Amino acid sequence: FQGCGGNSEPSGSDPSGDNSTSASITAPSPVSIGTILSEVEDSGVKVTFFLAKGENGKHWLRATFSPLEIGYHVYSKDLPADGIDGIGRPTLLELSKHAAISDVGKLTADKKIHNFASPLNAAGFPVYPDGPVTLSLPFTMKPDAHAPVEVTTKITYMACTKTSCNPPVEGKVVKLTLK
């Protein structure tokens, strides 16, 4: 797979430069990262799932996408589903409908995106900095829900360097038990 940088600089080069764009990040929720639920590895990335609990049934499902090698990044959650001109895949965490869950909120990330300059697209590609990024998905557990609750999640991502990409993972189903 060709990286979003085409034949640009090797992955060990300095990623700083004037190719940054501003992006808003939601302030972190007032709870810890949470309890580890599960971990999966695929296509050069380890994804660790967490559950954090707040008051009044409020919960956050979190997934940390950690490339296994230095110099790899994943794409913004806001990238189109099929990438830009077919290049890249968004980094996503989805929670399937469940009778015990309501009020699923907006997916947020703990890192700001930057615009990765590329000869393959004049506008560049929105990516997170090299290394891990944690996505959070708020939801409410209904008061009458009885733990444990078995849920189905789906994850999508693609890890790349400046010159190459691992195969994308699209809609990978991961079953989790929420306690």
Side-chain angles (χ1 to χ4, degrees):
F1 285 89
Q2 187 173 27
C4 55
N7 294 323
S8 62
E9 304 167 15
S11 62
S13 66
D14 183 1
S16 64
D18 61 350
N19 62 347
S20 294
T21 58
S22 63
S24 62
I25 349 181
T26 303
S29 53
V31 293
S32 69
I33 188 86
T35 304
I36 293 179
L37 298 174
S38 182
E39 290 185 338
V40 296
E41 270 187 35
D42 196 353
S43 201
V45 176
K46 178 170 74 172
V47 182
T48 306
F49 295 89
F50 301 89
L51 179 66
K53 298 178 185 180
E55 296 179 4
N56 301 318
K58 191 70 173 176
H59 291 70
W60 289 265
L61 179 62
R62 294 194 169 112
T64 298
F65 296 78
S66 302
L68 299 175
E69 294 183 50
I70 293 173
Y72 278 82
H73 59 262
V74 293
Y75 291 85
S76 166
K77 65 181 180 57
D78 299 318
L79 190 74
D82 59 352
I84 298 174
D85 295 330
I87 299 171
R89 292 296 179 269
T91 304
L92 299 175
L93 169 63
E94 301 170 88
L95 182 59
S96 297
K97 290 185 186 261
H98 192 285
I101 293 174
S102 65
D103 303 324
V104 176
K106 184 179 177 187
L107 186 65
T108 59
D110 70 339
K111 302 277 173 44
K112 288 196 322 185
I113 60 167
H114 68 277
N115 194 41
F116 186 82
S118 169
L120 300 176
N121 179 27
F125 294 90
V127 301
Y128 296 110
D130 288 359
V133 63
T134 299
L135 300 184
S136 295
L137 189 62
F139 67 92
T140 301
M141 188 76 76
K142 292 181 180 175
D144 58 350
H146 298 288
V149 174
E150 304 288 329
V151 298
T152 301
T153 64
K154 290 182 183 178
I155 52 174
T156 297
Y157 59 88
M158 186 172 182
C160 298
T161 66
K162 291 183 179 188
T163 58
S164 66
C165 290
N166 294 337
V169 173
E170 298 180 273
K172 181 180 180 97
V173 172
V174 180
K175 297 196 181 280
L176 301 173
T177 302
L178 309 180
K179 297 178 182 180

